Amino acid sequence: GAVVSQHPSWVICKSGTSVKIECRSLDFQATTMFWYRQFPKQSLMLMATSNEGSKATYEQGVEKDKFLINHASLTLSTLTVTSAHPEDSSFYICSARVVGTLSYEQYFGPGTRLTVT
Amino acid sequence: QKEVEQNSGPLSVPEGAIASLNCTYSDRVSQSFFWYRQYSGKSPELIMSIYSNGDKEDGRFTAQLNKASQYVSLLIRDSQPSDSATYLCAVRRMDSNYQLIWGAGTKLIIKP
């Protein structure tokens, strides 16, 4: 149980283009999903908290107009990197918590490796 | 002072021995604690959660929590080369919407 998928697993795009990453909870509902970014040999950095049916909450320093988050259903959240630049190249990982529980456990998707050329 | 601190390592342990990973946290009212394992190039995987003082065992893994001293540890018995990974400690952020505060992780190497 508590399986989270991400698509695509890796993507290469040209500078200036936009990329959409999907995060799905496969066997549970998730009112809250989280988007992280991880650079090589560094720890997880929370970018934003995504809540179903409402606006995402972004961490300080994360540009909300550049990293668009949509959480349209209880099983799907998307992150769109707009006007991507080489410095946006990173490992993007989503996580989700199970709705209806008091648990704070987060279950992670397999991640999306983005390379901007 | 970082909110969640871990020794970055690497921690090198011979195969079959006990690996001991430590984590300290600064928020005295924290209630929920988690250990995740992250293999190189992969996403984190939940190993254990612990909420009460004392020990919690799951197979070869034992989590230990001491709220008075504000530390949580993870013991791995009979360490295997497949346990080689980075271990992340996470603590529930009390003033947020289910967010976790993450340590930087300890790299563990199990030597055959």
Side-chain angles (χ1 to χ4, degrees), chain B:
Chain B
Q1 180 190 6
K2 292 183 181 178
E3 294 180 88
V4 178
E5 294 205 56
Q6 296 181 257
N7 188 318
S8 61
L11 174 65
S12 184
V13 173
E15 183 177 357
I18 296 175
S20 178
L21 303 160
N22 299 312
C23 170
T24 59
Y25 58 94
S26 60
D27 190 343
R28 200 168 276 282
V29 299
S30 295
Q31 297 292 323
S32 308
F33 308 87
F34 309 90
W35 282 101
Y36 285 80
R37 175 176 63 198
Q38 186 175 25
Y39 292 114
S40 181
K42 303 294 185 181
S43 65
E45 170 191 11
L46 178 66
I47 298 176
M48 290 188 72
S49 55
I50 185 166
Y51 304 96
S52 304
N53 276 329
D55 295 359
K56 180 181 178 182
E57 186 174 318
D58 184 0
R60 296 187 296 113
F61 299 96
T62 299
Q64 299 176 318
L65 175 60
N66 184 323
K67 291 184 180 180
S69 301
Q70 294 175 238
Y71 83 78
V72 57
S73 62
L74 180 70
L75 303 178
I76 307 174
R77 290 183 299 281
D78 188 23
S79 297
Q80 303 295 312
S82 59
D83 295 325
S84 298
T86 296
Y87 288 80
L88 302 171
C89 172
V91 177
R92 174 197 165 191
R93 185 188 294 275
M94 298 301 294
D95 58 348
S96 75
N97 184 15
Y98 301 108
Q99 290 177 1
L100 300 180
I101 308 170
W102 295 88
T106 298
K107 184 173 183 178
L108 175 66
I109 298 173
I110 306 300
K111 293 193 170 182

Side-chain angles (χ1 to χ4, degrees), chain A residues 14-28:
Chain A
K14 292 188 176 181
S15 187
T17 62
S18 296
V19 174
K20 179 185 281 188
I21 302 170
E22 292 187 349
C23 177
R24 293 182 184 273
S25 56
L26 298 185
D27 54 358
F28 66 99

Side-chain angles (χ1 to χ4, degrees), chain A residues 32 34 36 38 43-44 46 49 51 57 59 91 93 97 101-111 113, chain B residues 32 34 36 38 41-46 48-49 51 56 88 92-93 97-100 102-105 107:
Chain A
T32 306
F34 305 89
Y36 293 87
Q38 189 174 38
S43 189
L44 295 173
L46 179 66
T49 302
N51 297 294
T57 303
E59 293 300 297
F91 191 39
I93 319 172
R97 62 173 291 275
T101 72
L102 298 177
S103 171
Y104 293 88
E105 296 172 348
Q106 292 184 19
Y107 298 92
F108 283 84
R113 197 162 300 280
Chain B
S32 308
F34 309 90
Y36 285 80
Q38 186 175 25
K42 303 294 185 181
S43 65
E45 170 191 11
L46 178 66
M48 290 188 72
S49 55
Y51 304 96
K56 180 181 178 182
L88 302 171
R92 174 197 165 191
R93 185 188 294 275
N97 184 15
Y98 301 108
Q99 290 177 1
L100 300 180
W102 295 88
K107 184 173 183 178

Side-chain angles (χ1 to χ4, degrees), chain A:
Chain A
V3 178
V4 178
S5 70
Q6 265 184 260
H7 178 79
S9 55
W10 61 270
V11 58
I12 301 173
C13 71
K14 292 188 176 181
S15 187
T17 62
S18 296
V19 174
K20 179 185 281 188
I21 302 170
E22 292 187 349
C23 177
R24 293 182 184 273
S25 56
L26 298 185
D27 54 358
F28 66 99
Q29 292 182 327
T31 50
T32 306
M33 292 184 171
F34 305 89
W35 286 96
Y36 293 87
R37 182 166 55 180
Q38 189 174 38
F39 293 106
K41 299 191 186 301
Q42 294 188 24
S43 189
L44 295 173
M45 188 195 82
L46 179 66
M47 299 176 66
T49 302
S50 169
N51 297 294
E52 186 267 337
S54 64
K55 291 184 179 180
T57 303
Y58 291 82
E59 293 300 297
Q60 193 171 11
V62 178
E63 300 174 61
K64 61 181 180 181
D65 294 331
K66 180 173 181 61
F67 298 98
L68 302 178
I69 292 173
N70 185 287
H71 193 155
S73 76
L74 288 173
T75 59
L76 174 64
S77 176
T78 60
L79 167 69
T80 301
V81 183
T82 63
S83 187
H85 291 285
E87 57 265 31
D88 298 323
S89 298
S90 187
F91 191 39
Y92 292 84
I93 319 172
C94 71
S95 70
R97 62 173 291 275
V98 181
V99 71
T101 72
L102 298 177
S103 171
Y104 293 88
E105 296 172 348
Q106 292 184 19
Y107 298 92
F108 283 84
T112 297
R113 197 162 300 280
L114 170 64
T115 301
V116 184
T117 61

